[in-house]
Amino acid sequence: RAVVGAWCAALLLASASAQVTQTSEYLQRMDTDGDGRVSLAEYQAWMSYAFDRMDRNGDGVLTPDELPGGKGRAITRAEHMVKLAATFNRQDTNRDGYLDARELAAPPQK
């Protein structure tokens, strides 16, 4: 479980750091429909970048050899999306179904 947690953290950091340095840039890049907020679908699309990059054979499953450190149990893209949804929901502190710049800038919620 600790390996999966570390892996998820690595994915989030790798995705989020894709040449973005300010919260406004995160919002602008994630907000594909330009409404000034990030929906769950937009969040998942942006944050799946690292999964897709690590899935070398493109089968939708990260096998241990594709995971950081080459260890851990396999994780499917569907499982990854569920984890992203849980993270999104924790960050959505006002429970409006979207992340605004303040929520994006906040430290990860537990």
Side-chain angles (χ1 to χ4, degrees):
R1 191 168 175 112
V3 171
V4 172
W7 169 81
C8 287
L11 276 180
L12 291 175
L13 288 173
S15 310
S17 66
Q19 304 301 319
V20 177
T21 58
Q22 296 179 4
T23 302
S24 60
E25 289 179 70
Y26 285 121
L27 181 62
Q28 185 177 32
R29 289 189 183 196
M30 286 184 184
D31 179 21
T32 57
D33 65 6
D35 67 356
R37 57 193 186 166
V38 176
S39 69
L40 174 59
E42 290 169 326
Y43 181 81
Q44 287 173 317
W46 173 264
M47 297 302 280
S48 290
Y49 168 81
F51 183 100
D52 296 339
R53 187 169 162 198
M54 290 170 40
D55 184 15
R56 292 186 298 269
N57 63 4
D59 67 354
V61 178
L62 293 181
T63 54
D65 64 303
E66 294 172 316
L67 294 172
K71 297 180 182 177
R73 75 168 184 83
I75 184 167
T76 66
R77 191 170 214 297
E79 290 171 315
H80 177 65
M81 296 302 256
V82 167
K83 290 179 187 298
L84 289 176
T87 301
F88 177 93
N89 289 329
R90 284 191 304 274
Q91 290 302 113
D92 181 18
T93 56
N94 67 1
R95 305 290 178 242
D96 68 351
Y98 296 91
L99 299 181
D100 58 27
R102 182 188 51 76
E103 290 166 324
L104 281 172
Q109 303 297 306
K110 294 185 180 192

